[in-house]
């Protein structure tokens, strides 16, 4: 094989693996981890910041690849996911498994080297996602999303723990904010792609409890996420100006959550879904400002 | 009507300028104007974000008329509170009554001219306050000349609010497409005028 064809081959491998790490979701969770670290307002160590970034990136990407590996049989039944390279057969299951394991080990191992407690929280996040959510509960109960949410809340807690050296109230509130924010994503998807989930026989809130209960859950969890972010912001001691900005963004979130509850509309649902992502990203940037 | 990328850039500019104003632009003021300006720029910010997310269809919602009343009312209240101390109480009553009247007439099926009259009176008084007061203050030398930009912003948002309100009440002054096409740039220009006027005025 020529050098050129080897390069082309490697590029196509990266192109096949990139969608398996869900880059937007991973990027957002990574942002929460960095924000958690910076929110403590401690002196920023560039090496530590790079360590946090890479260890979290690898741990989150690894767990996502493991999820794709295990769920390839149900992904192939869903229109939204059937083209994923693990489901379509473009990548062999064995290869995907080992790539996922190696990247996971790299991320979690790196985290333990940086600090044992930080490593433990990162490992907890990986375990909740891969073992509890993916392997155990996803195909059994609609409530599996709670464990997916807890897993998603671990990066921000890990970042905070690394900066402060212990688990504090702010860290728990930030983790709760992420936990309550995640249903706006997962439940909106489960409404929008209900047929897909039905085809794959995955229990979801809409299929188990109906749309009204699901929309109410989205609205309530958005409110709880906003409360947790607000409380954490006050405890962190961010400036009055940034508190005002968080209050304004929160008011927008609550308005949309209320509209979601009152109006049965896919556009409003998806509006909340997108606004909640922007809200969380903005909140993370504001919390990170504490370090500067 | 589909929103083009340039519209989104204009709206993003509005969002970022409003965020700047909320965070640092009003820090030195007393509590009441801070609350009033936070509400005004907050509504601009959230409206900009929602338009980026939902597109122009977001303007079809019946709450748009009510929301678009909040911006001039809150801004006018902030200005009066800061610069016309003897009118504070009366203006606060007008703001609350005006908002309540617009909300009531827009959320109740009324088949006469009352909703249009309420919107015209409320927008008219608030808009004239935002337009005239800063210009008057800067001419008198009570503020720096740049403060007159707030008045120009007031005129722009007043035009915007009236165009939208009459469109929503079924009596459009301009065609819907023209209003929607001009809306993002109007919002951005308005916000630029407000932010620069407050900063350099």
């Amino acid at each position: 094989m020529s050098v050129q064809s080897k390069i082309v081959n490697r590029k196509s491998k990266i192109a096949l693996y990139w969608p398996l790490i869900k880059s937007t979701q991973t990027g957002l969770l990574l942002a929460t981890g960095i924000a958690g670290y910076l929110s403590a307002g401690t002196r920023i160590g560039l090496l530590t910041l790079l360590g946090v970034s890479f260890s979290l990136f690898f741990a989150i990407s690894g767990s996502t690849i493991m999820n794709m590996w295990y769920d390839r049989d149900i992904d192939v039944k869903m229109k939204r996911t059937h083209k994923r390279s693990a489901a379509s057969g473009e990548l062999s299951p064995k290869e995907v498994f080992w790539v996922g394991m190696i990247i996971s080990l790299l991320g979690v191992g790196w985290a333990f080297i940086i600090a044992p407690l930080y490593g433990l929280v990162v490992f907890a996040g990986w375990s909740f996602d891969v073992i509890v959510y993916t392997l155990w509960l996803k195909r059994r109960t609609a409530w599996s999303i709670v464990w997916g949410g807890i897993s998603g809340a671990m990066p921000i807690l890990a970042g905070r723990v690394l900066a402060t050296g212990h688990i504090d109230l702010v860290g728990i509130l930030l983790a709760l904010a992420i936990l309550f924010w995640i249903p706006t994503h997962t439940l909106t998807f489960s409404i929008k792609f209900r047929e897909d989930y039905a085809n794959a026989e995955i229990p979801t809130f809409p299929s188990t409890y109906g749309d009204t209960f699901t929309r109410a859950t989205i609205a309530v969890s958005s409110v709880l996420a906003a409360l947790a972010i607000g409380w954490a912001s006050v405890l962190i001691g961010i400036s009055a100006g940034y508190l005002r900005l968080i209050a304004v963004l929160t008011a927008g979130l609550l308005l949309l959550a209320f509209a979601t509850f009152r109006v049965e509309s896919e556009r409003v649902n998806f509006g909340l879904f997108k606004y909640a992502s922007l809200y969380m990203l903005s909140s993370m940037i504001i919390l990170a400002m504490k370090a500067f | 009507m589909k929103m083009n990328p340039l519209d989104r850039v204009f709206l993003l500019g509005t969002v970022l300028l409003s965020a700047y104003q909320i965070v640092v632009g009003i820090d030195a003021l007393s509590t009441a104007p801070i609350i009033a300006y936070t509400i005004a720029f907050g509504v601009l910010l959230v409206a900009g974000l929602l338009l980026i997310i939902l597109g122009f269809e977001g303007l079809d919602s019946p709450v748009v008329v009510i929301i678009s009343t909040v911006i001039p009312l809150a801004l006018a209240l902030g200005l009066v509170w800061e610069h016309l101390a003897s009118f504070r109480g009366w203006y606060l009553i007008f703001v609350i009554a005006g908002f309540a009247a617009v909300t009531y007439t827009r959320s109740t099926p009324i088949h006469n001219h009352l909703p249009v009259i309420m919107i015209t009176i409320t927008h008219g008084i608030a808009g004239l306050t935002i337009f005239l007061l800063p210009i008057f203050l800067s001419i008198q030398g009570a503020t720096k000349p740049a403060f007159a930009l707030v008045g120009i912003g007031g005129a722009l948002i007043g035009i915007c609010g009236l165009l939208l309100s009459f469109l929503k009440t079924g009596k459009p002054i301009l065609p819907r497409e023209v209003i929607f096409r001009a809306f993002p740039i109007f919002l951005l220009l308005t916000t630029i005028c407000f932010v620069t006027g407050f900063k350099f005025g």
Side-chain angles (χ1 to χ4, degrees):
Chain A
M1 191 184 277
S2 71
V3 176
Q4 200 175 1
S5 65
K6 271 184 185 170
I7 292 169
V8 170
N9 201 23
R10 236 171 246 165
K11 273 185 181 171
S12 66
K13 276 277 184 201
I14 291 169
L16 287 174
Y17 271 102
W18 190 251
L20 293 193
I21 68 164
K22 293 187 182 173
S23 52
T24 310
Q25 182 186 292
T26 298
L28 208 47
L29 290 175
L30 178 59
T32 67
I34 293 170
Y37 175 67
L38 295 177
S39 72
T42 48
R43 207 171 66 84
I44 305 166
L46 188 63
L47 275 179
T48 312
L49 193 60
L50 284 174
V52 171
S53 305
F54 281 107
S55 59
L56 281 178
F57 176 75
F58 286 130
I60 298 165
S61 300
S63 71
T64 312
I65 293 174
M66 294 305 289
N67 173 287
M68 297 276 187
W69 163 75
Y70 188 76
D71 282 346
R72 64 192 185 283
D73 61 323
I74 52 174
D75 279 349
V76 82
K77 295 176 186 170
M78 298 166 72
K79 272 184 200 163
R80 186 171 66 87
T81 55
H82 75 281
K83 283 185 181 167
R84 284 175 180 168
S85 44
S88 66
E90 288 171 280
L91 291 169
S92 78
K94 197 175 163 187
E95 183 186 305
V96 174
F97 173 82
W98 282 111
V99 169
M101 280 304 283
I102 289 165
I103 292 178
S104 297
L105 279 171
L106 190 62
V108 176
W110 197 336
F112 270 106
I113 290 167
I114 292 171
L117 185 58
Y118 168 70
L120 200 64
V121 178
V122 172
F123 177 66
W126 186 91
S127 307
F128 286 137
D129 187 39
V130 177
I131 299 168
V132 181
Y133 172 68
T134 304
L135 297 180
W136 182 20
L137 295 175
K138 185 175 176 180
R139 299 170 194 227
R140 288 181 170 82
T141 167
W143 290 94
S144 63
I145 60 161
V146 173
W147 293 96
I150 292 172
S151 156
M154 289 300 112
I156 198 165
L157 182 62
R160 179 83 191 173
V161 158
L162 182 63
T164 60
H166 60 277
I167 294 174
D168 63 353
L169 178 60
V170 172
I172 291 168
L173 286 170
L174 291 175
L176 283 174
I178 304 293
L179 169 65
F180 289 123
W181 161 69
I182 282 176
T184 61
H185 271 242
T186 48
L187 296 185
T188 306
F189 262 77
S190 62
I191 291 175
K192 190 173 169 69
F193 301 105
R194 69 175 73 235
E195 283 180 22
D196 268 2
Y197 286 103
N199 288 340
E201 294 173 33
I202 300 294
T204 62
F205 265 54
S207 66
T208 311
Y209 302 106
D211 280 8
T212 308
F213 183 78
T214 306
R215 284 190 286 115
T217 308
I218 292 172
V220 170
S221 68
S222 302
V223 172
L224 292 173
L227 285 175
I229 277 281
W231 189 1
S233 304
V234 172
L235 291 179
I236 286 169
I238 62 171
S239 72
Y242 284 116
L243 272 182
R244 287 196 294 272
L245 186 57
I246 285 200
V248 163
L249 291 167
T250 302
L253 185 74
L254 298 184
L255 192 77
L256 265 180
F258 181 69
T260 306
F261 186 57
R262 288 288 303 273
V263 185
E264 199 168 326
S265 151
E266 195 171 295
R267 195 162 58 85
V268 176
N269 275 357
F270 236 67
L272 176 63
F273 166 78
K274 287 181 181 174
Y275 186 93
S277 297
L278 276 174
Y279 173 82
M280 198 44 73
L281 188 63
S282 311
S283 302
M284 291 305 117
I285 292 169
I286 292 169
L287 294 179
M289 297 303 255
K290 178 70 182 169
F292 301 101
Chain B
M1 198 172 122
K2 207 168 158 34
M3 187 176 277
N4 64 42
L6 197 60
D7 292 332
R8 289 179 203 278
V9 171
F10 290 149
L11 289 169
L12 185 64
T14 303
V15 167
L16 294 176
L17 279 173
S18 302
Y20 166 82
Q21 190 66 11
I22 290 166
V23 174
V24 291
I26 51 177
D27 251 353
L29 305 176
S30 60
T31 309
I34 283 181
I35 293 171
Y37 293 142
T38 300
I39 292 171
F41 286 100
V43 172
L44 264 174
L45 188 155
V46 173
L49 276 179
L50 291 180
L51 278 173
I52 292 171
I53 290 170
L54 300 172
F56 287 124
E57 288 77 17
L59 292 173
D60 291 332
S61 166
V63 294
V64 165
V65 176
I66 298 167
I67 299 290
S68 67
T69 311
V70 174
I71 301 171
L73 281 176
L75 263 177
L77 180 63
L79 286 169
V80 168
W81 207 276
E82 258 193 288
H83 300 287
L84 293 175
S86 54
F87 287 92
R88 283 174 181 173
W90 289 110
Y91 212 87
L92 182 61
I93 292 169
F94 157 69
V95 165
I96 294 168
F99 181 69
V102 170
T103 306
Y104 176 74
T105 53
R106 293 306 304 167
S107 51
T108 313
I110 298 172
H111 301 292
N112 54 29
H113 293 298
L114 192 62
V116 178
I117 291 168
M118 280 304 154
I119 284 170
T120 311
I121 292 173
T122 310
H123 269 276
I125 294 175
L128 279 175
T129 307
I130 305 168
F131 176 53
L132 293 177
L133 186 57
I135 293 174
F136 180 72
L137 288 169
S138 59
I139 288 171
Q140 275 211 322
T143 60
K144 288 180 187 168
F147 198 58
L149 281 170
V150 176
I152 295 169
L156 288 173
I157 203 157
I159 294 168
C160 242
L162 283 174
L163 286 174
L164 262 187
S165 299
F166 279 95
L167 177 72
K168 301 300 294 181
T169 51
K171 298 173 177 63
I173 299 167
L174 289 172
R176 178 188 153 94
E177 286 70 29
V178 175
I179 294 172
F180 281 9
R181 190 53 66 208
F183 195 69
I185 185 74
F186 253 80
L187 268 189
L188 178 61
L189 286 175
T190 301
T191 316
I192 289 172
C193 285
F194 284 149
V195 172
T196 49
F198 277 113
K199 184 162 177 65
F200 301 110

